[in-house]
Amino acid sequence: MALAGTFGQRVKRQLSLADAPPSLIARSRRGVDVAVTETLNSEPVEGLSGSLADDAYLVSLKLQDYPDCELWEHGKCFTKTDVRAGTTYLYDLRHDPRFVIDKPFHSVHFYLPRLTLDGIAREARTPPIGDLACRYGFGHDDEIMRHVGALMLEGLRRPAEANQLFIDHMMLAFTAHIAQTYGGWQRVADAARGGLSPWQVRRACERLDSDLGGTLSLQQIAAEFDLSVSHFSRAFRISTGLPPHQWLLRQRVKAAKQLMTLRDLPLSEIAISVGFANQSHLTKVFSAQVGVSPAAWRREALGIRDSET
């Protein structure tokens, strides 16, 4: 099975793209990757798409209509269908699905290995997940996938603002949704597990607080407690009231407030020093959490009148 780290290169070859599309990747404790990438071409090279054959699934959220799409499977023409924007398609890559490229296309592709599905069932102590319900040529009206796709698309286009904790959190939610909706997976109730112990909460928060830039992955932190990513993420939320990536954003805003009491320190420098990509990123997150912009909060905190600014 190919690693998702090379997924962008494989998609480039499959669709005859000029460059490999950027990807966001989450890795499990066992080193299995889940990836997402955006595929877009307004002037494609016409012909039959290349192979992505693998022991994995491709979950594709379509962002553009693709009428009269000719689909191939196992090297033969299978059917023709009208692909509609906003629908989600599941492809079993073991069947070597392909399509005839003869018009512009735009999609968000999620790469989901079988080993990832096996892993979440094993970690949850549930029966193995069977084959996903891949109805080749059939699009699903999946509101959750539209939401996940929109968030990941924003991350793909603004990678500096998408810290690894956020990517891991979204990929975990994506995998669980696909397993439950299309694989019949039923997760055991989480309530019995409870949250983290006090020392685990303290240690996890210390680790997150020491890395405001968000370079640590959920897998790295969970491994310190010998927990799966899904177990750690749920337990952390039970204990703190927030998932790890949102807790980190709250700490960034808290650190920014402390620095903003220094009158002569520019907001652009504060943003970078507390882990935001830039001042615009700080403003967006700060305003959402606090209700006012950083500049307005600073004026109030320092007692600065508008006439002085």
Side-chain angles (χ1 to χ4, degrees), residues 1-7 23-28 31-37 56-59 109-117 120 148 152 164 167-168 170-176 178:
M1 183 188 68
L3 292 176
T6 64
F7 185 55
S23 300
L24 298 177
I25 300 169
R27 175 163 293 181
S28 72
V32 181
D33 295 341
V34 180
V36 60
T37 191
Y57 293 97
L58 185 72
V59 181
H109 284 344
F110 292 81
Y111 171 83
L112 180 58
R114 278 276 351 159
L115 287 176
T116 300
L117 295 173
I120 65 170
V148 171
M152 298 312 294
Q164 190 61 46
I167 297 169
D168 292 346
M170 292 306 302
M171 290 300 205
L172 187 63
F174 155 75
T175 302
I178 295 299

Side-chain angles (χ1 to χ4, degrees), residues 32-54:
V32 181
D33 295 341
V34 180
V36 60
T37 191
E38 179 185 13
T39 62
L40 170 64
N41 198 340
S42 58
E43 297 180 353
V45 176
E46 296 190 4
L48 184 65
S49 65
S51 176
L52 277 180
D54 203 345

